[in-house]
Amino acid sequence: MTSLDFIVMSIFAIIILSIGMIFTKMGSKDGQSFFEGGGKIPWWINGLSLFVSYFSAGTFVVWGSIAYKYGLVSNGIQLTMVFAGLVSSLFLVSRWKRTGSHTVAEYIRLRFGTKTQQFYTYLIMLHGLFMTASVLYPVGKMVQLATPFSLETCIIIIGVIIILYTAAGGLWAVLVTDVVQFIVLAAAVLIVIPIAFENIGGVSNFIDKSPPHFFDFFNDEYSIVFAGAFFIYQTAYIGGNWAYVQRYTSVRNEMESRKVGYLFSILYLVSPFIWMIPPMIYRVINPNLVGLESEGAYMLLCQKVLPSGLIGLILSGMVSATASKANTTINLVATVFAKDVYKSIFHTKATESQLILVARIFTVLFGALTIYIAILVPRVGGIVELVLSVASIAGGALFIPIIWTLFPNRQTSFSLVFTSSISLLINLTLKIFAVDLIGFKLPRIAETSLGVGIPILCICLFEAYYLIKNVPVKDELLTFAHLNPIDESTNSGDNSQNVFGIRVIAIAMAIVGFGIAILGFMASMNMPSIVVGISIIILSLPTWIASKSV
């Protein structure tokens, strides 16, 4: 990297941090502003935030590593997220909005009581620790490959920036920075692809020199059976992850909740085919990466083909993706801790200003712990192992039982806690002690299938048992409609927040587009950069106009 690359990254970091600080006053206004963004955020902002926060630099390290090794297999896996998003949009997201609850924790408390709420809250916070760490590590890895800094230093610097603006501005800071980070990330990827193809001699040359079966969607390790199990997990994750539910409940009405999910699905239908091209190209350029070296395929390609300044832009895009994933989770656990742990257990009469202060303090403490865990990732076998292991062990166990209760059911507090506990225990035991217990390590297909299969089986058995016991079917959403009525025409959120947020996005777009275009001129008239930069500037105009019609 050159000094220009460091300047680009520094400017980008200042822009993102400044956006977070701009929303400090708005986030401090009241609890609804900090935790819910006013309660009627435009659906397209939440949709973009959901999309960009669903992946991270981990997308380019985890799936990029798989793309380097196996080609389109990585796309086959990621297409499960498209169908999972559609299923969630059709059947789940509007039901979350219908509950009238602002968080999943609040829903669990009203439905199953405080003890059950606390059980799931502590598990979600623990899950959030590892998921946030899993996105801090890969971006640290990317930056380390391109800079003289150590992995630990890179993780710490990036983590601190994310923690600062998340603690300052609350949900609006998260949402607006997510949209801006989406723009930077998309620009970076769109710039690198034509340059990479030109370097390798075109698309036809890339296809001719690719290894056998490089364009197959499935292989022995990541088979169609794995994809089926992963689809069930992704449906539970998209439809039940507490941070994503916040995106469905903070819009005006149920229709806009569904639009959030639809936008996510449309973007994920296209994006994997764009994101995964660079590491696949690098397999043709250098087929000799082994072990954890493949985690750096994306960044190694960028270093090979990009001129000075654009490498800094690519790294800024990687940081963007990571920040979006991390700030979403950090904001969620801070919200849950303040409203559903601190207020419920320690200070029932806490004021909104006190809860905001507690959330900010917890954001810093939680973020510091995730940084520490991220530094330890190499000791557990690398990022691919960590991400897929956490998904198989905890994903189904934590989300499937709660999602089940959104529909007419017979479940009780005991059945949910038992299902989650036994699923976690079995999956964790098999992950750690499989060789001792059964003589071999479970393949990825078995891990993922058990991860979603055990909680579904347990829930179905409880339904059958309660049916035999003549426990009546309950549709708790009818109860919530009475307890938490939603007036979709007059939400308590202040519309000025939406206007201000959209205008900040428009201004940031213009600044980012101008900067990218300038980089294109500085990099010997790099036309992809110039075209992308000018396009972003043009798009900033209708974005500003949209603020007037909110």
Side-chain angles (χ1 to χ4, degrees):
M1 280 182 64
T2 66
S3 57
L4 180 59
D5 293 306
F6 284 108
I7 292 172
V8 170
M9 293 186 66
S10 299
I11 292 174
F12 170 77
I14 291 171
I15 292 173
I16 294 300
L17 190 57
S18 298
I19 291 173
M21 295 306 172
I22 286 172
F23 286 94
T24 300
K25 183 177 180 180
M26 181 184 292
S28 301
K29 181 179 178 181
D30 54 50
Q32 189 183 52
S33 298
F34 187 88
F35 298 118
E36 303 160 36
K40 56 176 183 178
I41 296 167
W43 65 268
W44 60 270
I45 291 180
N46 270 358
L48 286 175
S49 175
L50 174 63
F51 170 71
V52 76
S53 64
Y54 199 74
F55 59 88
S56 65
T59 298
F60 304 97
V61 176
V62 177
W63 305 122
S65 174
I66 295 173
Y68 175 84
K69 294 177 182 177
Y70 308 121
L72 283 184
V73 166
S74 63
N75 297 82
I77 298 171
Q78 291 180 83
L79 281 177
T80 62
M81 303 169 192
V82 177
F83 299 110
L86 288 174
V87 170
S88 297
S89 302
L90 290 171
F91 302 109
L92 298 179
V93 301
S94 60
R95 299 184 75 85
W96 279 118
K97 181 64 177 177
R98 199 176 307 164
T99 66
S101 301
H102 301 123
T103 65
V104 179
E106 180 184 356
Y107 167 77
I108 295 173
R109 176 175 57 81
L110 293 172
R111 171 69 171 85
F112 297 102
T114 301
K115 291 184 178 180
T116 305
Q117 176 206 41
Q118 291 172 3
F119 170 81
Y120 279 103
T121 296
Y122 297 139
L123 287 179
I124 286 295
M125 290 167 64
L126 183 62
H127 178 264
L129 270 178
F130 287 97
M131 294 308 295
T132 306
S134 73
V135 299
L136 284 179
Y137 166 80
V139 75
K141 179 92 171 183
M142 288 282 193
V143 176
Q144 178 208 13
L145 288 171
T147 67
F149 304 124
S150 68
L151 176 62
E152 293 80 5
T153 300
C154 295
I155 291 173
I156 291 170
I157 293 174
I158 295 166
V160 168
I161 293 173
I162 295 170
I163 291 167
L164 286 176
Y165 76 74
T166 304
L171 183 57
W172 260 113
V174 171
L175 293 173
V176 174
T177 52
D178 279 355
V179 175
V180 175
Q181 288 158 346
F182 164 75
I183 293 166
V184 174
L185 176 65
V189 175
L190 290 175
I191 289 170
V192 75
I193 288 175
I195 298 175
F197 273 127
E198 182 181 358
N199 183 270
I200 203 175
V203 177
S204 59
N205 200 38
F206 163 64
I207 295 173
D208 292 340
K209 293 184 177 181
S210 296
H213 306 292
F214 207 53
F215 300 101
D216 295 345
F217 275 99
F218 306 103
N219 62 14
D220 292 339
E221 182 176 1
Y222 301 102
S223 67
I224 193 168
V225 176
F226 169 85
F230 203 62
F231 158 73
I232 298 174
Y233 161 74
Q234 291 295 337
T235 302
Y237 194 69
I238 295 170
N241 182 289
W242 292 23
Y244 303 151
V245 170
Q246 194 179 32
R247 301 295 183 269
Y248 312 138
T249 60
S250 60
V251 294
R252 287 183 175 87
N253 51 50
E254 292 181 27
M255 176 57 71
E256 292 201 352
S257 294
R258 287 192 289 271
K259 287 181 179 179
V260 171
Y262 292 144
L263 180 57
F264 168 88
S265 299
I266 292 170
L267 291 172
Y268 237 107
L269 178 63
V270 178
S271 61
F273 291 96
I274 299 174
W275 306 147
M276 296 299 104
I277 288 174
M280 291 174 65
I281 291 176
Y282 195 69
R283 173 65 185 272
V284 175
I285 295 175
N286 178 12
N288 300 317
L289 299 184
V290 295
L292 298 183
E293 290 179 348
S294 61
E295 292 181 351
Y298 207 106
M299 196 64 239
L300 291 171
L301 173 79
C302 293
Q303 288 179 294
K304 180 176 178 61
V305 304
L306 291 179
S308 176
L310 293 183
I311 293 177
L313 178 65
I314 290 292
L315 283 174
S316 295
M318 302 297 107
V319 174
S320 296
T322 296
S324 299
K325 180 85 171 184
N327 65 25
T328 295
T329 305
I330 293 173
N331 176 259
L332 178 278
V333 295
T335 299
V336 169
F337 178 81
K339 299 182 68 174
D340 302 306
V341 176
Y342 179 78
K343 186 173 183 178
S344 298
I345 300 175
F346 300 108
H347 193 180
T348 56
K349 297 182 180 180
T351 64
E352 288 192 342
S353 60
Q354 289 173 329
L355 291 179
I356 292 172
L357 176 61
V358 168
R360 284 174 168 157
I361 294 173
F362 186 79
T363 295
V364 174
L365 296 177
F366 183 87
L369 189 54
T370 60
I371 290 173
Y372 175 72
I373 294 175
I375 293 172
L376 300 179
V377 166
R379 300 186 184 182
V380 299
I383 191 63
V384 174
E385 183 66 25
L386 175 65
V387 169
L388 295 182
S389 294
V390 172
S392 62
I393 293 169
L398 294 181
F399 305 130
I400 288 176
I402 304 302
I403 288 175
W404 190 283
T405 67
L406 293 174
F407 301 90
N409 66 93
R410 297 179 171 85
Q411 298 302 313
T412 65
S413 177
F414 172 79
S415 65
L416 260 65
V417 172
F418 179 87
T419 296
S420 294
S421 299
I422 197 67
S423 300
L424 287 170
L425 179 62
I426 293 174
N427 288 319
L428 187 60
T429 300
L430 289 175
K431 182 64 183 179
I432 298 174
F433 302 110
V435 176
D436 297 326
L437 293 174
I438 59 178
F440 60 91
K441 180 182 177 181
L442 289 177
R444 191 78 67 194
I445 297 173
E447 283 187 353
T448 307
S449 299
L450 288 172
V452 297
I454 293 174
I456 292 176
L457 176 62
C458 286
I459 286 290
C460 290
L461 289 176
F462 272 112
E463 285 286 340
Y465 173 76
Y466 290 139
L467 174 63
I468 295 172
K469 291 292 185 178
N470 293 320
V471 174
V473 173
K474 294 174 288 185
D475 188 352
E476 292 295 335
L477 294 191
L478 297 177
T479 303
F480 282 113
H482 172 69
L483 292 176
N484 300 330
I486 302 174
D487 186 348
E488 295 183 348
S489 62
T490 58
N491 195 289
S492 61
D494 181 0
N495 201 54
S496 63
Q497 295 183 38
N498 292 348
V499 174
F500 182 72
I502 294 173
R503 289 181 176 178
V504 171
I505 291 172
I507 293 171
M509 286 176 65
I511 294 173
V512 169
F514 180 76
I516 292 174
I518 291 298
L519 281 177
F521 284 109
M522 294 176 65
S524 302
M525 295 295 292
N526 183 275
M527 288 309 298
S529 301
I530 296 172
V531 171
V532 170
I534 294 175
S535 299
I536 294 173
I537 294 173
I538 293 172
L539 288 174
S540 69
L541 297 176
T543 304
W544 179 273
I545 295 172
S547 68
K548 299 180 180 180
S549 60
V550 173

